[in-house]
Amino acid sequence: MRLIPLPAFEDNYIWTLQDGDRMLVVDPGDAVPVLAVAERGIRPAAVLITHHHADHCGGIARLQEQWPALPVFAPEDPRLNFRHDAIGEGARFTIGRWELSVIAVPGHTSSHIAFVTGQYLFCGDTLFSLGCGRLFEGTPAQMFDSLQKLSRLPDRTLVCCAHEYTLSNATFAAAVDPDNVFLHQRILEAGDQRRAGQATLPVTLSSELASNPFLRCDSQAIRASVASRLGRDPADPLETFAELRRWKDGFRA
């Protein structure tokens, strides 16, 4: 199988997992890149949607027009106005040789889900390399819990985020965790990848666990940085996360 990200808009990735002449398509905000691949003889076997934002599902109507029987799997959410199978936490299903499971990860949106198949995690806008999604609808507690769920996946899991945010996240991460050698290594690697015109994704979960401050809220280094803002020690990892997310929301390099 071949994992190929299709760039879309300014910084989105439409992930495709290709098996012969068929592919899974994840979060097609734009149909055009998917149709271009199909013209080369690789047709979508199914579409996976992580949440309702238009840059993740705006291409569905065009794809369903092209392939009326195309299966679409998406969260249960009345804002999704296209034909789909609604799924949630713990769902398991098979498409061709792909065995998929679903994890509910509210926070960025109230109905956000993630998909796991084999070693691949398609997490939409919940987890980014060196960062996490904004809390548009959920609470800090929900997002913290969602990230904890993802952090318990196998270390070798390949994290397939929906945006190329790694270097922009890196500036904040370095401000929070300046002495983290794993973070500095990741930043150098990502810089080399972008200069070569490559995606910085996917990234292993083990790399994120070592370098992403939002996954390290129980570490002394992150707690100390947050304490310097609060003027006291944070009560627990959740308060650390909540303050870290507020800090990031207003951060200017």
Side-chain angles (χ1 to χ4, degrees):
M1 294 188 187
R2 299 177 63 207
L3 179 73
I4 299 177
L6 308 179
F9 308 119
E10 183 177 348
D11 51 35
N12 282 69
Y13 287 129
I14 301 168
W15 288 98
T16 65
L17 189 55
Q18 302 178 6
D19 183 15
D21 62 355
R22 304 288 276 172
M23 62 179 169
L24 288 180
V25 178
V26 185
D27 284 352
D30 184 3
V32 172
V34 180
L35 293 170
V37 174
E39 288 179 359
R40 301 198 296 269
I42 304 173
R43 295 180 55 181
V47 174
L48 312 178
I49 300 295
T50 62
H51 63 292
H52 73 278
H53 288 163
D55 64 320
H56 292 255
C57 62
I60 291 293
R62 178 68 185 88
L63 295 179
Q64 289 185 324
E65 177 184 326
Q66 179 73 18
W67 297 286
L70 178 64
V72 177
F73 299 89
E76 187 170 351
D77 191 316
R79 294 169 291 192
L80 296 174
N81 58 358
F82 47 81
R83 176 185 51 76
H84 65 280
D85 291 313
I87 52 176
E89 175 71 35
R92 295 179 179 274
F93 57 101
T94 300
I95 302 167
R97 293 200 299 156
W98 295 289
E99 295 182 357
L100 294 115
S101 59
V102 177
I103 305 172
V105 285
H108 180 67
T109 68
S110 59
S111 62
H112 203 301
I113 59 176
F115 297 88
V116 177
T117 180
Q119 70 186 112
Y120 303 107
L121 166 66
F122 299 105
C123 53
D125 288 357
T126 297
L127 174 61
F128 295 124
S129 185
L130 306 184
C132 74
R134 286 182 177 269
L135 304 181
F136 287 123
E137 297 174 5
T139 65
Q142 285 178 312
M143 180 62 98
F144 179 74
D145 182 62
S146 294
L147 293 174
Q148 290 299 296
K149 286 183 184 179
L150 299 184
S151 72
R152 291 191 288 269
L153 292 170
D155 284 356
R156 67 182 183 87
T157 298
L158 292 174
V159 180
C160 304
C161 319
H163 290 272
E164 182 57 71
Y165 285 167
T166 307
L167 288 180
S168 60
N169 286 336
T171 305
F172 175 72
V176 172
D177 201 8
D179 299 324
N180 187 331
V181 295
F182 300 104
L183 171 59
H184 289 294
Q185 181 180 347
R186 173 64 175 145
I187 293 171
L188 291 173
E189 172 191 68
D192 288 345
Q193 289 170 318
R194 295 309 287 160
R195 283 188 289 274
Q198 301 170 353
T200 64
L201 306 164
V203 60
T204 62
L205 182 58
S206 61
S207 174
E208 289 302 301
L209 290 170
S211 58
N212 187 329
F214 292 97
L215 298 183
R216 303 183 63 246
C217 291
D218 59 349
S219 76
Q220 184 56 43
I222 304 302
R223 286 175 57 84
S225 286
V226 168
S228 69
R229 287 180 55 82
L230 292 173
R232 58 172 175 80
D233 287 338
D236 52 30
L238 173 56
E239 186 179 28
T240 301
F241 171 80
E243 182 59 31
L244 200 61
R245 185 61 259 182
R246 281 191 290 269
W247 184 1
K248 177 67 161 63
D249 290 342
F251 182 75
R252 298 292 180 270

